[in-house]
């Protein structure tokens, strides 16, 4: 089993890149006019999960950005997923 130091040596630069990329995305959204939507709100709400000391942060973030419904919708109006759960009343 690798040590924490070995994991850091192998993966730190990749994690650093992803964090900087996420910060750049947030900056891009903030620079532009108009309103955000539920996806941006869900992403921002999931960010504190990264700082948690609890095991299972990846699952917690995935759950926060996943649709918890189990009933199929009658008819899809779009193709593909939105990447975040839609609040009640937000049309597909």
């Amino acid at each position: 089993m690798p040590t924490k130091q070995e994991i850091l040596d192998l993966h730190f630069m990749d994690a650093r890149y992803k964090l900087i990329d996420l910060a750049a995305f947030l900056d891009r959204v903030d620079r532009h006019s108009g309103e955000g939507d539920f996806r941006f709100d869900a992403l921002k709400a999931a960010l504190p999960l990264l700082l948690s000391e609890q095991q299972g942060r990846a699952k917690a973030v995935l759950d926060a950005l996943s649709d918890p419904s189990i009933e199929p919708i009658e008819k899809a109006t779009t193709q593909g997923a939105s990447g975040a759960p839609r609040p009640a009343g937000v049309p597909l």
Side-chain angles (χ1 to χ4, degrees):
M1 174 167 276
T3 65
K4 286 182 182 182
Q5 185 66 51
E6 290 168 333
I7 296 294
L8 285 165
D9 289 345
L10 287 171
H11 301 288
F12 177 80
M13 292 303 284
D14 185 48
R16 177 183 180 272
Y17 159 78
K18 290 173 183 175
L19 194 57
I20 293 168
D21 190 49
L22 180 56
F25 167 73
L26 295 171
D27 286 346
R28 276 191 305 278
V29 171
D30 286 342
R31 275 196 307 270
H32 291 81
S33 63
E35 294 296 317
D37 64 19
F38 68 95
R39 295 168 300 169
F40 192 58
D41 294 339
L43 187 68
K44 290 189 301 185
L47 290 175
L49 298 171
L50 298 176
L51 299 177
S52 168
E53 297 292 326
Q54 298 290 324
Q55 287 290 316
R57 286 180 287 252
K59 181 182 183 315
V61 169
L62 179 61
D63 288 346
L65 297 174
S66 296
D67 183 351
S69 64
I70 57 173
E71 294 297 321
I73 61 172
E74 188 173 309
K75 179 181 177 186
T77 58
T78 62
Q79 187 175 18
S82 60
R86 270 178 214 276
V90 173
L92 293 175

